[in-house]
Amino acid sequence: MSTHDIRKPSKCSIVVDDVDAGEKPEPELEVNTAKTVQTSTTDSDTRDMKEESDARIKQIQIEAESRKNEFAKLLEEHAQVIKELKKMEEGPPSVAVTGPTKA
């Protein structure tokens, strides 16, 4: 073997993207305690917004419960299918049905 046959180690470079590059620090909020800011909303406006918000929260909770129940049904069906497949794998081979039968 000559010195020309020895291979040099290959070079490798790793590029790492800066994940924080696009983020800008949030500006700090200035709080002026000397002034009191008056809002234009009245008590009835605030009450209406709260009622709308509460109604929306209730609707989201009902939808979440419905999805949870549906998911539980799907999990149960999945467990049943797995159980049947395991039974089929462990049991004796059955006669395969090929195509529709004519009556």
Side-chain angles (χ1 to χ4, degrees), residues 1 7-8 16 19-20 25 37 40 44-45 48 51 53 55 61 64 67 81 87 89-91 102-103:
M1 208 186 224
R7 294 186 179 194
K8 293 181 182 177
V16 178
V19 294
D20 297 330
V37 180
S40 62
S44 63
D45 290 342
D48 290 345
E51 287 175 3
S53 177
Q61 288 173 333
R67 288 184 185 138
V81 169
K87 252 200 269 187
E89 287 176 349
E90 293 172 359
K102 294 184 181 180

Side-chain angles (χ1 to χ4, degrees), residues 16-25:
V16 178
D17 289 334
D18 185 4
V19 294
D20 297 330
E23 295 182 15
K24 295 180 182 176

Side-chain angles (χ1 to χ4, degrees), residues 2-92:
S2 71
T3 57
H4 297 290
D5 293 337
I6 298 175
R7 294 186 179 194
K8 293 181 182 177
S10 62
K11 293 182 180 181
C12 177
S13 62
I14 298 174
V15 178
V16 178
D17 289 334
D18 185 4
V19 294
D20 297 330
E23 295 182 15
K24 295 180 182 176
E26 293 183 21
E28 292 186 27
L29 297 175
E30 292 182 23
V31 179
N32 188 347
T33 57
K35 292 182 182 177
T36 315
V37 180
Q38 291 186 346
T39 60
S40 62
T41 60
T42 62
D43 288 339
S44 63
D45 290 342
T46 304
R47 204 173 320 119
D48 290 345
M49 290 188 313
K50 179 159 177 35
E51 287 175 3
E52 288 176 19
S53 177
D54 290 345
R56 181 68 182 133
I57 289 170
K58 185 69 174 170
Q59 180 184 5
I60 291 170
Q61 288 173 333
I62 291 169
E63 289 173 4
E65 186 68 27
S66 174
R67 288 184 185 138
K68 179 180 150 186
N69 291 336
E70 184 65 26
F71 186 63
K73 288 178 190 176
L74 290 172
L75 286 175
E76 182 60 34
E77 289 177 19
H78 179 265
Q80 296 272 342
V81 169
I82 296 300
K83 190 176 181 179
E84 288 296 317
L85 282 172
K86 286 184 179 182
K87 252 200 269 187
M88 291 171 64
E89 287 176 349
E90 293 172 359

